[in-house]
């Protein structure tokens, strides 16, 4: 039997797996495109449907334009969170393990928990939770932070190619009712099978 070798956890970006996940996270900074492109395409379709007049084109273009415009505030906010998470990872000198207790998961609500952050107890809400990261947290009770920037932390698992981010609200002992935006509900994973 081989003896287990403990490798020190260095800077998150020095790890190949984390660096690969970080490159994917950098694309999230452009999340505003998720709503801007459909809104632009809808506007073009509406304009093209005016001359010659095409009612079906106006309806489809109008619906696409409106759905894109409704998603812009959420996608701009998500872009900001990704930008802050990217800065957090870039400026991180080491992985920081933090004890956390997740609240029972409810559909259409953020995955959240109370974490013993370096500055004290804080409410942590995962905006776009990654199933692998949340499962690791639920199983171990430890959240690995790859950096902090403003009210956003980058969260992952050392030597595993996944990164996500969470919003931190200090000095909160109860979560506020904070449903996720409607556009995110279509892609929300089911966390009901995780350990409690």
């Amino acid at each position: 039997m081989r003896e287990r070798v403990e490798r020190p956890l260095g800077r998150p970006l020095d790890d190949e797996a984390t660096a690969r996940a970080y490159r994917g996270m950098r694309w999230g900074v452009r999340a505003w495109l998720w709503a801007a492109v459909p809104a632009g395409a809808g506007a073009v379709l509406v304009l093209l449907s005016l001359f010659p007049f095409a009612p079906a084109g106006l309806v489809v273009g109008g619906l696409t334009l409106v759905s894109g415009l409704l998603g812009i505030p959420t996608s701009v906010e998500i872009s900001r969170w990704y930008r802050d998470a990217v800065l957090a990872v870039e400026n991180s000198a080491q992985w920081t393990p933090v004890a956390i207790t997740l609240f029972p998961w409810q559909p259409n609500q953020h995955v959240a928990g109370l974490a013993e952050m370096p500055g004290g107890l804080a409410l942590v809400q995962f905006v776009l939770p990654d199933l692998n990261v949340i499962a690791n947290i639920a199983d171990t009770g430890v959240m690995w932070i790859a950096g902090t920037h403003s009210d956003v932390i980058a969260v992952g698992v050392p030597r595993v190619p996944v990164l996500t981010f969470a919003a931190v609200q200090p000095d909160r002992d109860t979560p506020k009712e904070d449903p996720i935006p409607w556009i995110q509900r279509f892609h929300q994973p089911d966390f009901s099978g995780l350990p409690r």
Side-chain angles (χ1 to χ4, degrees):
M1 179 188 275
R2 291 179 58 185
E3 193 173 316
R4 183 177 175 156
V5 177
E6 292 291 331
R7 294 182 296 172
L9 296 176
R11 184 172 173 261
L13 284 180
D14 291 342
D15 174 35
E16 180 68 32
T18 306
R20 188 174 35 215
Y22 166 77
R23 287 190 291 275
M25 181 179 268
R26 285 188 11 211
W27 282 99
V29 175
R30 299 172 187 90
W32 58 272
L33 289 171
W34 300 339
V37 168
V44 168
L45 190 55
V46 166
L47 290 174
L48 291 175
S49 299
L50 292 175
F51 304 104
F53 185 71
L58 283 174
V59 170
V60 170
L63 289 174
T64 306
L65 174 63
V66 168
S67 67
L69 290 175
L70 289 175
I72 286 178
T74 300
S75 61
V76 167
E77 185 68 12
I78 289 171
S79 293
R80 181 193 72 83
W81 281 323
Y82 268 114
R83 185 191 69 236
D84 287 350
V86 164
L87 289 171
V89 175
E90 287 173 352
N91 296 326
S92 178
Q94 65 181 13
W95 284 100
T96 306
V98 172
I100 184 171
T101 303
L102 293 177
F103 298 121
W105 178 76
Q106 298 176 9
N108 300 326
Q109 296 289 322
H110 286 291
V111 175
L114 285 177
E116 296 175 19
M117 300 292 287
L121 195 63
L123 174 65
V124 176
Q125 293 182 315
F126 294 88
V127 180
L128 296 173
D130 180 274
L131 186 59
N132 295 309
V133 173
I134 300 302
N136 183 275
I137 291 170
D139 187 43
T140 64
V142 175
M143 174 175 64
W144 289 91
I145 301 174
T148 304
H149 181 79
S150 185
D151 61 343
V152 175
I153 57 174
V155 181
V157 180
R159 299 185 189 94
V160 177
V162 292
L163 277 174
T164 190
F165 56 89
V168 178
Q169 299 173 5
D171 302 327
R172 294 286 304 270
D173 53 1
T174 56
K176 65 178 182 175
E177 282 295 316
D178 189 16
I180 63 172
W182 65 272
I183 199 164
Q184 287 180 251
R185 293 180 187 181
F186 298 113
H187 301 291
Q188 186 183 33
D190 182 5
F191 296 103
S192 59
L194 295 178
R196 296 179 187 223

